[in-house]
Amino acid sequence: TQLLEQSPQFLSIQEGENLTVYCNSSSVFSSLQWYRQEPGEGPVLLVTVVTGGEVKKLKRLTFQFGDARKDSSLHITAAQPGDTGLYLCAGGSSNTGKLIFGQGTTLQVKP
Amino acid sequence: KAGVTQTPRYLIKTRGQQVTLSCSPISGHRSVSWYQQTPGQGLQFLFEYFSETQRNKGNFPGRFSGRQFSNSRSEMNVSTLELGDSALYLCASSPRGPGGGTEAFFGQGTRLTVV
């Protein structure tokens, strides 16, 4: 069974601070996706990484896929209150066709 | 391009009843996946349909079923509702399927409350 573990589960920081969210597994994934979800809404895709060692930047967000394609991280620089939400990582398998989600990290950024 | 549309947004049902939820994917997307989201379990995969065929199934009882129509619209049905079925049900559409690195786009979800 493929599992993805996200850490931390909860994070409460002040505006302007930096943070990193981790997503780890013992399984290899074909791709790793990061989503952000706000209360009562569906997850919104932020980025997809497919190559081991790949780094993608989206404004203040930096995503990294581990060399072995088993783990990923999301780093936010100078967090803002608008970054508040649930961040989900999801591993995709081209063999099974499934997307496996981590439990999520709830981020609160206080002004 | 219109996004993924799920109806209804909110639903209240009584234990023992059945419910049908609907999902209209993005035009041109042939894969529709369904997920159950609860605070305790997170996002759990229910099943995926591709070109009217169920291609993948999660670990849910047979009370949970689905289908996909020729226009790629999908429905999921839950029979004999239990209190534990209360959750946000999310539908995601994808051009070819979510596992191979293609993007999955989610609808806003249907909030089901079983009383």
Side-chain angles (χ1 to χ4, degrees):
Chain A
T1 304
Q2 291 180 307
L3 290 173
L4 267 173
E5 292 192 8
Q6 267 186 258
S7 62
Q9 281 190 297
F10 302 97
L11 203 49
S12 182
I13 61 173
Q14 293 294 133
E15 183 177 0
E17 291 184 10
N18 301 331
L19 67 116
T20 302
V21 177
Y22 298 94
C23 182
N24 296 298
S25 176
S26 58
S27 303
V28 176
F29 291 100
S30 306
S31 67
L32 205 297
Q33 304 181 7
W34 284 92
Y35 294 81
R36 178 168 163 265
Q37 184 179 20
E38 297 194 28
E41 302 292 328
V44 175
L45 180 68
L46 295 173
V47 77
T48 300
V49 285
V50 296
T51 305
E54 184 176 1
V55 177
K56 280 192 175 179
K57 290 191 176 183
L58 188 66
K59 296 184 181 176
R60 294 176 294 102
L61 277 61
T62 302
F63 305 87
Q64 185 161 9
F65 201 12
D67 291 340
R69 291 186 290 136
K70 293 182 179 180
D71 54 84
S72 181
S73 64
L74 157 61
H75 182 79
I76 301 179
T77 304
Q80 299 176 359
D83 296 328
T84 293
L86 176 67
Y87 288 82
L88 295 155
C89 66
S93 169
S94 54
N95 290 335
T96 65
K98 291 183 181 179
L99 203 58
I100 306 298
F101 280 85
Q103 288 290 83
T105 295
T106 300
L107 171 65
Q108 181 187 43
V109 182
K110 300 174 190 174
Chain B
K1 206 180 217 186
V4 179
T5 303
Q6 288 188 248
T7 56
R9 285 294 308 275
Y10 304 95
L11 209 48
I12 299 176
K13 289 286 188 178
T14 306
R15 263 185 312 175
Q17 286 186 314
Q18 75 166 15
V19 67
T20 299
L21 312 181
S22 179
C23 172
S24 293
I26 292 172
S27 177
H29 286 191
R30 295 164 67 187
S31 166
V32 174
S33 300
W34 288 90
Y35 296 83
Q36 181 195 66
Q37 187 175 33
T38 58
Q41 298 296 319
L43 266 160
Q44 301 286 311
F45 173 76
L46 281 156
F47 28 66
E48 182 216 356
Y49 285 86
F50 185 87
S51 295
E52 302 179 65
T53 301
Q54 187 181 85
R55 191 160 66 168
N56 277 300
K57 193 177 189 302
N59 297 322
F60 278 81
R63 299 186 296 108
F64 292 82
S65 62
R67 58 178 177 169
Q68 188 179 32
F69 302 95
S70 57
N71 62 358
S72 291
R73 191 177 71 84
S74 177
E75 289 181 346
M76 69 162 278
N77 184 276
V78 188
S79 62
T80 321
L81 283 166
E82 300 176 0
L83 295 178
D85 296 333
S86 295
L88 181 67
Y89 289 88
L90 291 160
C91 157
S93 92
S94 175
R96 297 184 299 277
T102 55
E103 298 176 341
F105 297 88
F106 283 83
Q108 292 181 300
T110 295
R111 170 71 64 186
L112 172 65
T113 302
V114 182
V115 298

